[in-house]
Amino acid sequence: MNVLTNKTNTYDAIVIGSGISGGWAAKELTEKGLQTLVLEAGELIVPERDYVEHVPTWDVKFRGMRDRQYMKVHQPMQQHIADEWNSKFFVDDLENPYTTPPDQPYLFLRGRHLGGRSVMWGRQSYRWSDLDFEANIKDGHGVDWPIRYKDIEPWYDYVEDFIGVSGQAEGLPQLPDGKFLPPMEMNCAEIAMRDVVAQKFPDRRLTIGRTAILTVPHRGRAACHYCGPCARGCITRSYFSSIHSTLPAAEATGKMTLRPYSVVQSLAFDRKTRRITGVRVIDAKTKETLEFHSKVVFLCASTLESARILMNSATPEFSTGLANSSGQLGRNLMDHIFHSGASGLMLGHEDRQQIGNRPNGIYMPRFRNVKDKHPDFVRGYGFQGGGGREDWGRGSEMSGFGVDFKHKLREPGPWRFSFGGFGECLPHPDNRMELNKDKLDAWGIPTLRISHKWRENELAIFKDATATAAEMLEAAGAKDITLSTTPSQPGESIHEMGSARMGRDPKTSVLNSWNQAHDIKNLFITDGSFMVSSACQNPSLTYMAMTARASDYAVRQLKQGDL
């Protein structure tokens, strides 16, 4: 790629961040003719050098047990999800600190490299419906979304056609169907559970997960070969990431300049023209301070980092953060509550074996508060999970020793089925982030203090999800049913949203319906910051569709001379 190493310049557009939304902004803006600078805070990722999904356990130094001393010091937060293979894709917590109130722990799990979290994401891709876009106005939590499904539907089509999403059409109003590649197959335990659910719970539907992984060759990328550990990379580029898809498309235009090691410190604002005039950058390696200029800026640094950049860009007019005349910047932080659900043994089918390592599970769309009103909570939850045979690892909980014991473990164990709930989090102004000027990161930039806790509605959703998971397992004849009783920490599902919400009224929202700042016309924010509610579906597909939509609008405004 065209990598700029040390040169200040002026561009048509600057995109801050190269992850899921940043990659889409880069693709759309360059394809529409804009000379675009992409600023990435971290290093480049070269798949042929950095991907490790095919490295066996015996070829890593600690045989998969991780360098626990290093992670204890440098990645005490990231080790919740990073393993020995992919820990390099997660930040050093010493260099990137944050704080929380003692009684409100928050897991800020993230990468800082080309592609961002699109390298390690879960790839589950679901559309929202008007059940989600109309929720706030109907039950009174948060502000009304300024868009409806019809506004984003063509952009869902556009994004799905480009990235490739495999899935099964179900015809459900609460989970609109998309432009799917062939679905992955369910295994025998999942088919058995699907049939039981259809028979005994007519308001529920069990389907295969909709995932941004190719089941057939698509736009020059190969179909998945089911090796499994996608969070370590994908040398065949079978799952969507900005490295595999959008950034190469932007590069092909010849109009993208990519600058790694570019830590954005703040944005420069001209109060006379009411525009962003520059992006101040600290070179991550040399600590040199630089400034870049453009007609339009797309802020795609992630929900928390984008708000942090705006807070660090405060001016006398915007004393609590740039574009914050509403006072909503940093507020209404949301994440999905999960770790609810249950699992159990599905006896039978011992003559059936699994082949390969399918990187996908089942999905059960929301069924609470779709038609009937639940007495204990508003909104709802969806289930992810699946069936599979236990492997040799079950030996750690079995008695036995010697040759016979080892031979016994060579055979797969019984089938087990698990439901894991992802519940909606309501927007709440006190779930927020603030600037911590007393604690700086490795580049001297003030860090974040994050306050977030589950409230009554989220905890009621959690409780109900565990109960309904258990009742479905019991109905299917499962044995040894185990309930999940401890909620996830806020941040743990890595679906952080909010902090610069959209809205119809500039007095109560940061962005308008086009992801454009109410206060500053040439500033667009298209990562999770703009979200007005969280629904219960994985949000990345919506980020992509909204980024493509906002990019199209911004270019049209530029051509009309309105930016």
Side-chain angles (χ1 to χ4, degrees), residues 322-340:
L322 205 55
N324 192 30
S325 64
S326 67
Q328 294 300 315
L329 180 66
R331 295 187 180 275
N332 304 295
L333 179 63
M334 298 168 282
D335 186 35
H336 289 139
I337 186 168
F338 79 125
H339 286 335
S340 57

Side-chain angles (χ1 to χ4, degrees), residues 43-251:
E43 63 182 351
L44 295 174
I45 295 293
V46 180
E48 291 76 12
R49 180 193 65 195
D50 297 314
Y51 284 176
V52 287
E53 77 275 21
H54 292 152
V55 176
T57 303
W58 55 85
D59 275 352
V60 292
K61 184 176 181 179
F62 296 94
R63 302 296 187 263
M65 299 299 288
R66 306 187 291 184
D67 186 344
R68 283 167 282 183
Q69 289 301 318
Y70 175 86
M71 298 188 85
K72 182 179 180 181
V73 175
H74 290 274
Q75 294 184 309
M77 310 309 292
Q78 311 307 314
Q79 67 176 340
H80 281 82
I81 189 169
D83 63 24
E84 186 172 348
W85 288 263
N86 68 6
S87 63
K88 61 186 178 183
F89 296 149
F90 292 85
V91 300
D92 184 321
D93 291 319
L94 282 181
E95 294 183 341
N96 300 275
Y98 65 97
T99 58
T100 69
D103 61 341
Q104 296 185 34
Y106 187 93
L107 280 175
F108 188 9
L109 305 172
R110 51 187 162 149
R112 193 170 251 206
H113 51 255
L114 186 69
R117 281 181 284 197
S118 77
V119 176
M120 311 91 82
W121 71 307
R123 306 164 302 282
Q124 292 291 296
S125 300
Y126 301 99
R127 295 188 179 201
W128 285 29
S129 71
D130 277 338
L131 182 70
D132 307 304
F133 290 116
E134 296 177 356
N136 283 8
I137 192 67
K138 287 184 174 178
D139 63 30
H141 295 277
V143 298
D144 188 22
W145 276 87
I147 63 167
R148 291 295 184 263
Y149 181 69
K150 64 180 175 55
D151 298 309
I152 192 175
E153 182 180 14
W155 296 102
Y156 277 137
D157 289 345
Y158 179 72
V159 166
E160 288 169 343
D161 182 68
F162 184 77
I163 69 175
V165 176
S166 71
Q168 175 72 46
E170 297 287 352
L172 298 172
Q174 72 270 38
L175 192 77
D177 296 326
K179 301 183 70 173
F180 297 136
L181 302 179
M184 295 184 180
E185 293 185 5
M186 288 194 281
N187 60 42
C188 59
E190 293 162 348
I191 291 171
M193 181 61 76
R194 180 197 64 189
D195 294 345
V196 167
V197 168
Q199 180 183 6
K200 298 187 177 181
F201 304 94
D203 61 333
R204 307 176 193 179
R205 185 76 57 87
L206 192 150
T207 187
I208 189 68
R210 296 172 178 177
T211 182
I213 301 177
L214 305 182
T215 49
V216 294
H218 183 73
R219 292 183 177 269
R221 295 159 48 213
C224 175
H225 56 283
Y226 286 28
C227 70
C230 305
R232 301 172 189 168
C234 182
I235 198 64
T236 56
R237 295 166 168 77
S238 302
Y239 70 74
F240 168 80
S241 84
S242 55
I243 293 176
H244 303 161
S245 301
T246 45
L247 291 175
E251 182 189 20

